[in-house]
Amino acid sequence: MGVAMAPSTQPRGKVLSVRGAVIDVAFDSTELPRLEEALIVEWDQSGPLIVEVQAHLDESTVRGVALQATAGLKRGVPVRATGGPITVPVGEPILGRLLDVTGRARDNGPALPPALPRMPIHRRPPPLSERSPASTIFETGIKVIDLLAPLPQGGKAAMLGGAGVGKTVVVMELIHAMVQSYQGISVFAGIGERSREGHELLSEMRRSGVLENSVLVYGQMNEPPGARWRIGLTALTIAEYFRDQKRKNVLLLMDNVFRFVQAGSEVSGLLGRLPSRVGYQPTLATEVAALHERIASIGGVSVTAIEAVYVPADDFTDPAVTAIASHLDSMIVLSRSMAAEGMYPAIDPLSSSSILLDPTMVGEEHYRVAEQVRETIAHYRELQDIISLLGIEELSAQDRLAVTRARRLQRFLTQPFAVTEAFTGVPGRSIPLANTLKGCQAILCGDCDHMAESALYMVGTIEDARDKDTKSKGESGRNEASNHHPDSRRD
């Protein structure tokens, strides 16, 4: 049912009023259920209706938020308290399954074993004294991320971007990349996801063979705000079980954390709280912190979070975005202008950042190459207005060289993805960090100045680009020769 079994001594009540997802319950006794305790509505519908207590209205009445749809609920229906918060099943049998916010299997597979251990979704974060620092690089095989915004193992990283710039594609590519390199458990939280996206992800994970070491939990877009609000905590609880009890590293993927904030805003409005900045809930900072502070490494095993964060109207100063960003170790910012130019993944090399990009963490060579790449691209962007107004001929020889190399760097940092192969026809590539550093170093040193820019676009290593350049020059040479051959002329 998604909750602990209720002893007979727990208080009983009845539904007093229903306003969408908000339910008021009057209890017979003066001992009220505590905040965040689960109530079970004993109605006549097929599925369970679980309500989480959010406020005490008076000595005998509580206000709660339903985690399932309340259509068909009427006043006077019996309600019983459970004596504890919502709990979800944990353990090996949930691997390869798709669950909802209360831990029920929703993938049309066999029912979960009834004897599975359960854990409450509300837990305290680990104390600071027990945490291990996030100092190890989590290599992804995506060139621009590993070079300029390396992900910390046991840390929190996010893809931030507006609508349609490729956040979900990058997250799906990371899942695909983990099949080869990652020896651990993956937990995917679909927060306010479209059912189409959920079905695509489930099919992709089945096809790639990663599902058997993964758990998917979904609070879909069509579900009540309570389900979308708590689905992240359900995923965290499952991740904490595998970290603490099974001593396994866990990769926690969340798409989309902004919809978690949106669901909290809906719940806050339904509960009658006055809105805060830009209409968000007054408890925004507390809710975001409660989600992120539980993501940590303890005793040599870690939970590593990779999140997708929608940026409303491309406004990075939005209160929800700044609240989430304050908890991140690595920020991968997706740019609409780069997406418009076809530079995929559309990750902005200047806005993206990571706490690991430090010579003591990544080494002197990696740090030096990353800084040179950033400086070169930043210099090119400064010159773009001059180029568009006066033309590249008006630049000095040194500036023209910087522009040439910056444009090649931008194209070299594009990459074909395995998850887009069906649309592009180009096989996906996962590139080791050493090859990325070697390629960027070659471009910065001028070894690629003679190459066509197109040869560096959507390739893996610098050797692939050289082969592509040689092949295209050979073909153009043959075409030119055939155009000048006497037999090729027609009367």
Side-chain angles (χ1 to χ4, degrees):
M1 291 283 281
V3 288
M5 292 303 291
S8 57
T9 55
Q10 290 299 331
R12 300 184 71 84
K14 59 184 180 181
V15 174
L16 195 64
S17 68
V18 183
R19 291 186 307 284
V22 172
I23 297 172
D24 291 352
V25 180
F27 282 89
D28 304 329
S29 64
T30 54
E31 186 186 347
L32 293 180
R34 289 168 295 181
L35 297 182
E36 295 182 345
E37 189 171 317
L39 312 176
I40 294 180
V41 179
E42 298 175 332
W43 63 346
D44 56 359
Q45 307 284 334
S46 57
L49 178 57
I50 296 167
V51 177
E52 188 177 85
V53 176
Q54 291 297 320
H56 289 179
L57 300 182
D58 55 39
E59 289 83 353
S60 62
T61 313
V62 301
R63 178 166 289 167
V65 174
L67 273 69
Q68 291 88 11
T70 56
L73 181 63
K74 55 183 183 288
R75 287 186 290 183
V77 173
V79 177
R80 62 182 172 90
T82 62
I86 296 160
T87 62
V88 292
V90 290
E92 304 283 350
I94 67 170
L95 291 173
R97 303 303 300 272
L98 188 149
L99 311 176
D100 67 8
V101 67
T102 59
R104 287 193 303 156
R106 302 299 291 269
D107 52 7
N108 295 327
L112 294 173
L116 272 181
R118 305 185 74 91
M119 286 175 61
I121 65 167
H122 296 286
R123 303 180 72 206
R124 289 186 177 277
L128 201 59
S129 57
E130 293 180 12
R131 296 178 181 231
S132 310
S135 56
T136 309
I137 289 186
F138 189 89
E139 205 169 309
T140 65
I142 298 174
K143 290 184 284 191
V144 65
I145 293 177
D146 290 342
L147 176 69
L148 299 173
L151 307 186
Q153 185 158 326
K156 298 173 275 283
M159 323 283 162
L160 296 102
V165 293
K167 298 180 296 299
T168 301
V169 172
V170 175
V171 169
M172 286 180 71
E173 182 67 16
L174 285 170
I175 293 170
H176 195 274
M178 293 310 113
V179 182
Q180 309 297 330
S181 59
Y182 188 66
Q183 301 301 314
I185 301 295
S186 299
V187 180
F188 181 88
I191 306 174
E193 284 281 87
R194 301 169 184 88
S195 55
R196 169 185 59 78
E197 292 171 335
H199 186 266
E200 283 175 6
L201 182 71
L202 183 61
S203 303
E204 171 67 25
M205 291 178 86
R206 274 190 181 136
R207 189 182 62 77
S208 61
V210 72
L211 190 61
E212 61 191 27
N213 288 319
S214 305
V215 184
L216 279 70
V217 288
Y218 268 87
Q220 283 179 200
M221 192 177 270
N222 63 326
E223 292 189 56
R228 290 179 271 124
W229 191 38
R230 291 304 187 212
I231 196 70
L233 300 184
T234 298
L236 258 175
T237 303
I238 293 168
E240 286 169 336
Y241 169 82
F242 284 107
R243 180 193 66 192
D244 300 339
Q245 307 299 322
K246 298 296 181 182
R247 310 294 298 163
K248 290 186 176 179
N249 289 328
V250 182
L251 178 65
L252 175 65
L253 299 127
M254 292 192 277
D255 187 7
N256 188 301
V257 180
F258 178 78
R259 296 201 188 109
F260 158 76
V261 173
Q262 268 189 321
S265 180
E266 288 178 54
V267 168
S268 181
L270 289 167
L271 293 171
R273 295 177 187 149
L274 285 172
S276 182
R277 288 171 55 205
V278 199
Y280 287 111
Q281 61 270 42
T283 52
L284 171 65
T286 310
E287 289 172 14
V288 171
L291 184 72
H292 285 88
E293 286 304 301
R294 286 168 60 182
I295 299 163
S297 300
I298 302 173
V301 282
S302 62
V303 173
T304 305
I306 299 175
E307 310 167 6
V309 182
Y310 167 68
V311 179
D314 292 341
D315 178 13
F316 285 85
T317 63
D318 186 87
V321 178
T322 54
I324 294 165
S326 65
H327 293 273
L328 301 175
D329 302 312
S330 180
M331 284 176 60
I332 298 159
V333 178
L334 286 101
S335 158
R336 189 169 299 283
S337 61
M338 288 184 67
E341 291 172 20
M343 300 293 171
Y344 290 108
I347 295 168
D348 190 331
L350 304 185
S351 304
S352 302
S353 63
S354 170
I355 59 164
L356 285 192
L357 197 59
D358 183 279
T360 57
M361 297 285 193
V362 298
E364 290 288 347
E365 187 199 2
H366 182 166
Y367 180 75
R368 179 178 52 78
V369 171
E371 285 299 294
Q372 285 182 340
V373 166
R374 276 216 176 107
E375 282 173 22
T376 307
I377 293 173
H379 187 47
Y380 169 50
R381 288 194 182 173
E382 287 170 6
L383 296 170
Q384 274 183 320
D385 285 345
I386 297 171
I387 295 167
S388 58
L389 287 170
L390 304 174
I392 197 166
E393 296 79 14
E394 297 300 316
L395 299 179
S396 66
Q398 190 175 354
D399 283 347
R400 279 204 298 273
L401 194 61
V403 167
T404 299
R405 290 175 184 173
R407 288 176 62 85
R408 281 165 174 72
L409 281 170
Q410 283 185 329
R411 280 149 184 77
F412 180 65
L413 292 176
T414 61
Q415 187 170 339
F417 279 179
V419 294
T420 59
E421 189 176 331
F423 309 104
T424 62
V426 181
R429 296 293 305 275
S430 179
I431 310 301
L433 176 60
N435 288 9
T436 303
L437 294 174
K438 181 183 172 186
C440 291
Q441 188 70 54
I443 295 168
L444 290 165
C445 291
D447 293 350
C448 304
D449 290 355
H450 63 284
M451 289 168 60
E453 287 180 2
S454 58
L456 292 149
Y457 179 69
M458 285 292 170
V459 294
T461 62
I462 198 72
E463 285 77 16
D464 296 337
R466 288 189 175 118
D467 292 345
K468 187 177 173 182
D469 186 57
T470 305
K471 194 181 293 183
S472 65
K473 283 179 178 172
E475 285 176 1
S476 63
R478 282 195 298 274
N479 290 339
E480 195 173 328
S482 65
N483 288 338
H484 289 90
H485 196 279
D487 294 342
S488 66
R489 294 174 189 160
R490 295 188 177 181
D491 296 334

